[in-house]
Amino acid sequence: MYILGVETSCDETSCAVINDKLEVLSNVVISQVDEHKLYGGVVPEVASRMHIQNIDYVCNKALKEAKLEIKDIDLIGATFAPGLIGAVLVGLNFAKGLSFCTNIPFVSVHHLRAHIASNYLTDKNLKPPFIALVVSGGHTQIIKVNDYTDFEIISTTVDDAVGECYDKVARSLGLSYPGGIEIDKLSKSGNDSVYNFPKPSTDNKFNFSFSGLKTASLNLINNSIQKGEKINIEDFSASFQKNIVDILVEKSLLVLKHTGLKTLCVSGGVSANSLLRKKLEEMCESNNFSLNLCDLKYCGDNAAMVAAQAYFEFKAGNIAEYSLNAVSNKSIV
Ligand code: KG4
Ligand code: ZN
C-alpha cells in the first residue's frame, strides 16, 4: 500500500510518499522561510499564495522521487487542522480534489497527530502506549498516546507555545526568523548562569506557561537598551535556553512518573534543539525510560509524518468526507 501525504499548515509546502511498512519513499519539502524572514515571522497571506504556487510541483516531485504515478497511490492524507487557515486550505483542497478525480480514498490528519507519527518513522518498532512531548512554534503539549488514534492531553500551555517564545525573544535580540535555531546555535558558546529568568508556575502542575518568561526576556532586553548596556547575546541565549529546557524536562519527568509509562517520544520543530535532546537523554537514562527523539529530518513540518498518521487513521476507519473544512484551532482529541 502506498500513501501520499500533503502538508501546508504553516510555511512549508510538503508532499511525501510512504508505504505501509512506514518506509519513506520521498519527502519533498519547500520551505518559505527565506520569504518570511523579510518580515520577521510568517505572513499568512504570503504563505497561502506560495503554497498555491508550489503544491502541484511538490506533489509531482514526490511521486517522481518515489518512482510512482498517481494511479499507484492507495490513500491520500492531508493536514486539516490546526494551522493558518488559508495555508491549510490549499493542501486540504488540493488533496480532496486529487482524491475526487482519482477515486483514491482520502483521510484528514490533525497536525499534532502527524508530529507524533514522526516518532514511528524514527523507530519502526515503536508502539503505543507512550508519552509524547510535542514542542513546536504553535504548540507545547504532553500527550498520553493510548493508541495510534487515541490521545489524552495531560499538559498544555496556558498561553504561548515554546517555539513562539523562542521566536519572539530572538526577534527582540535582532536575530533572524526562525529564532529558535539561532538561539540554539548562539547558546553553544555562552555561559548559562549569567542571566536569571523566571520559572513560571501554573494552577495545574502539569501545564506550561511561557508568556511570563517571554515578557521577562523582552524587559531585560529593553532595559539594557535604555541603559545603554550591551547584552552578551551568547550568555543570554544559553541562560534563556537552559531555563526553557529545564521546564520541558521537568514536566516530562512529572508526567512519566504520574502515568507510570516508561517511553517518552519527542517531536515538533523545537525537538531539534540540541540542549533539549541532551538533557532528555540524561533524564531518561537516569530513570530507565526509553526515549524516542524524532529524527532531525522529521522534526520540522513535513508530509512524511502526515502520510504515516494518514495510514493509522485509515486503518481505524476514519475516512473523511469531501465536505470537510479546514480548522485553524482544534484539539488533538
Ligand atoms: O513544528 P514546526 O516546524 O512548525 C510548527 O508546527 O509550529 O516548529 C517550528 C518552531 C519554530 O518556532 C522554530 O524556532 C523552532 O521550531 N525550532 C527550534 C529549533 N529548530 C526549530 N527551536 C529551538 N531550537 C531549535 N534547534
Ligand atoms: Zn508543526
Side-chain angles (χ1 to χ4, degrees), residues 111 115 136-138 163-164 166-167 178-181 184 268-270 272-273 299-301:
H111 187 68
H115 270 303
S136 74
E164 189 184 342
Y166 257 109
D167 293 343
I181 304 167
D184 191 10
V270 181
N273 186 269
C299 288
D301 290 343

Side-chain angles (χ1 to χ4, degrees), residues 31-330:
S31 170
Q32 306 172 356
V33 102
D34 288 339
E35 195 75 22
H36 297 296
K37 247 181 199 160
L38 306 170
Y39 310 97
V42 179
V43 183
E45 177 66 20
V46 173
S48 314
R49 283 167 189 259
M50 291 192 76
H51 286 313
I52 290 171
Q53 279 167 17
N54 291 330
I55 188 77
D56 202 35
Y57 167 79
V58 169
C59 180
N60 281 323
K61 193 159 190 276
L63 288 169
K64 201 169 167 198
E65 281 184 18
K67 298 190 175 53
L68 295 171
E69 292 178 31
I70 191 67
K71 65 173 171 46
D72 304 315
I73 299 294
D74 302 290
L75 179 68
I76 299 173
T79 306
F80 81 105
L84 302 172
I85 196 78
V88 180
L89 274 168
V90 177
L92 180 65
N93 283 330
F94 176 84
K96 284 200 283 189
L98 200 56
S99 160
F100 182 76
C101 296
T102 53
N103 270 326
I104 299 169
F106 167 66
V107 298
S108 61
V109 176
H110 187 283
H111 187 68
L112 291 196
R113 291 188 182 200
H115 270 303
I116 293 172
S118 66
N119 294 112
Y120 303 121
L121 297 175
T122 301
D123 175 5
K124 307 268 186 302
N125 294 317
L126 174 70
K127 285 188 177 55
F130 55 81
I131 293 298
L133 168 68
V134 187
V135 275
S136 74
H139 298 88
T140 309
Q141 293 194 325
I142 305 179
I143 294 158
K144 185 162 169 261
V145 181
N146 296 320
D147 208 339
Y148 297 97
T149 57
D150 179 6
F151 306 85
E152 267 173 70
I153 301 170
I154 312 269
S155 315
T156 193
T157 176
V158 296
D159 39 57
D160 295 340
V162 60
E164 189 184 342
C165 180
Y166 257 109
D167 293 343
K168 295 266 163 64
V169 170
R171 187 154 75 175
S172 295
L173 287 169
L175 302 172
S176 71
Y177 173 83
I181 304 167
E182 299 298 316
I183 290 187
D184 191 10
K185 273 190 213 149
L186 287 164
S187 67
K188 290 191 174 128
S189 39
N191 178 344
D192 65 14
S193 47
V194 172
Y195 295 95
N196 283 320
F197 294 102
K199 275 224 176 67
S201 64
T202 49
D203 287 346
N204 174 339
K205 66 177 177 179
F206 297 117
N207 279 346
F208 297 99
S209 167
F210 289 106
S211 75
L213 171 61
K214 183 181 75 183
T215 309
S217 309
L218 299 185
N219 285 345
L220 204 158
I221 297 166
N222 290 335
N223 287 341
S224 303
I225 293 170
Q226 278 164 7
K227 288 185 200 154
E229 290 169 5
K230 201 172 158 5
I231 282 192
N232 181 309
I233 199 159
E234 285 87 3
D235 293 345
F236 182 100
S237 297
S239 310
F240 172 82
Q241 173 146 303
K242 181 183 180 302
N243 196 51
I244 286 201
V245 168
D246 280 351
I247 296 167
L248 295 173
V249 174
E250 214 170 87
K251 300 276 180 188
S252 302
L253 178 60
L254 199 64
V255 172
L256 283 158
K257 285 191 169 160
H258 169 73
T259 57
L261 288 172
K262 301 248 175 267
T263 303
L264 177 66
C265 295
V266 195
S267 61
V270 181
S271 69
N273 186 269
S274 59
L275 186 69
L276 180 63
R277 295 174 85 87
K278 181 168 167 268
K279 291 290 173 191
L280 284 173
E281 265 167 9
E282 288 170 9
M283 183 275 278
C284 286
E285 203 181 316
S286 60
N287 286 280
N288 260 329
F289 297 138
S290 73
L291 176 66
N292 177 313
L293 289 171
C294 175
D295 200 325
L296 282 175
K297 61 178 177 283
Y298 303 128
C299 288
D301 290 343
N302 68 89
M305 67 185 193
V306 176
Q309 186 59 26
Y311 172 62
F312 296 121
E313 299 290 346
F314 178 73
K315 284 220 297 186
N318 298 337
I319 297 288
E321 302 282 331
Y322 290 133
S323 57
L324 177 93
N325 210 343
V327 188
S328 60
N329 196 354
K330 187 174 171 41

